[in-house]
Amino acid sequence: MVYSTVGATKIMETRIHPSLRTVEWKDNTVVMVDQTKLPNELVYVKYTDYKDVAEAIRNLVVRGAPAIGVSGAFGLALAALGSKASGMEDFLKDMEQARKILFETRPTAVNLAWGLERIMNVARMGKDPVETRKKVIEEAKKMAEEDIEINMRMGKNGSQLFSDNDTIMTHCNAGALATVAYGTALGVIRATKESGKKIRVIATETRPVMQGSRLTAFELKHDGIDVSLIPDTAVGYSMANGLVSKVIVGADRILRTGHVYNKIGTYQVALMAKQHGIPFYVAAPLSTFDMKSTPKDVVIEQRKASEVTGVAGRKTAPDDINVINPAFDMTPPELIAGIITEAGVARPPFEESIKKLFGQGP
Ligand code: MRU
């Protein structure tokens, strides 16, 4: 069934097609899974206007740091295609306007800025709009391919940290649905299983947007990986009762000091893991590292109150209640056993080991 809505064409599917990805460039359009509909409906949406891609990022149609990085790049590719400019100056003006609109959608995940900048660098080096349009599209497509390859390398590096019969807790969704395909934290879980080890996963539901229950549980079940869902409030219980061997999460931004920004609630999970002597790992590509900022520079996205005052459109809080709804929190380096990347695993002390990942170490 195919039907149209404002800004997007929607394509109904019954299952994730292995060759179709979370986000993809297809016939000069951007196709993505509409994650707001999961797990009830698997719907692919198709965009032709970068402003609709920006709305899709803002409204969590696509989410997860690497996925929004590539979506931002594809948004700029649509902007390049849509620009009527015949000279480079006007072309770059159009591109800069699109970059700004895409950039302002979500402030915390550094991959978005990284993806936009990578495309803008290609645009700025262009000599004429016709040639540059092609180069911009090629670069965005290349970024999508690289994302998958990086996740698979990260998965291999991380799988060595996990043992046969481990039960691995994860928070939020750092899976195929948060990337182009395969995933970061869930990529490590996939690679561990592919290496022949028997593993189980515990997924937190991840209030208030439920990325754990709607997306991680859906994705792992779809792929036949043993997963149990727990309410966020059962993290302590699960750890105290010996149900968890290791924890792995993704990241939206990692500072050079090893401070990790990830989905709200990650800090609580890391603290609890420390209390129970359970290793807490983070998996993220090098594009998630922000080597310039310090914690005071990082903007934590605050989301709308209705995410907290209701569940599935039904009110669960009194009218006019004050709400605090940060989307991310910061986990300090002392709670982290290792940061898994495509370039290897960084161990504490992180300032030194992260530098080495970037080839700047001694
Ligand atoms: O608000 P979201 O769903 O975009 O938040 C996503 C997360 O916090 C993920 O854990 C993070 O982006 C890592 S994804 C590989």
Side-chain angles (χ1 to χ4, degrees), residues 161 247-262 266-275 277-284 289 329-341 345-351 353-354 357:
L161 303 170
V247 179
I248 188 165
V249 297
D252 289 85
R253 191 184 289 236
I254 302 175
L255 304 188
R256 63 177 179 277
T257 44
H259 290 77
V260 168
Y261 293 80
N262 191 49
T266 302
Y267 175 44
Q268 291 169 196
V269 176
L271 267 177
M272 212 90 82
K274 186 72 161 187
Q275 167 74 10
I278 296 168
F280 179 93
Y281 294 107
V282 177
F289 286 75
D329 61 23
M330 187 268 281
T331 299
E334 59 272 19
L335 301 181
I336 302 168
I339 302 177
I340 303 156
T341 75
V345 180
R347 296 277 198 178
F350 287 113
E351 283 222 59
S353 58
I354 289 173
L357 291 179

Side-chain angles (χ1 to χ4, degrees), residues 63-66 106 172-174 178-179 184 211 250-252 262-263 328:
R63 33 64 53 200
R106 300 200 72 191
C172 192
N173 174 268
T179 61
T184 57
Q211 288 94 334
D252 289 85
N262 191 49
K263 180 51 55 195
F328 301 98

Side-chain angles (χ1 to χ4, degrees), residues 35 57 60 62-68 106 109 111 147 151 154 170-179 183-186 206 209 211 214-215 249-253 261-264 266 283-285 288 301 303 327-329:
Q35 301 193 33
I57 296 172
L60 310 183
V62 65
R63 33 64 53 200
I68 64 175
R106 300 200 72 191
N111 305 60
D147 181 76
N151 291 339
M154 195 188 311
T170 190
H171 184 63
C172 192
N173 174 268
L177 288 164
T179 61
T184 57
L186 297 193
T206 319
V209 180
Q211 288 94 334
R214 291 190 308 105
L215 309 177
V249 297
D252 289 85
R253 191 184 289 236
Y261 293 80
N262 191 49
K263 180 51 55 195
I264 193 72
T266 302
T288 300
E301 177 182 1
R303 293 193 62 88
F328 301 98
D329 61 23

Side-chain angles (χ1 to χ4, degrees), residues 36 70 83 117 139 163 201 217 324 327 330 345 349:
T36 63
V70 171
S83 167
E117 212 35 47
E139 187 72 9
S163 315
V201 178
I324 302 168
M330 187 268 281
V345 180

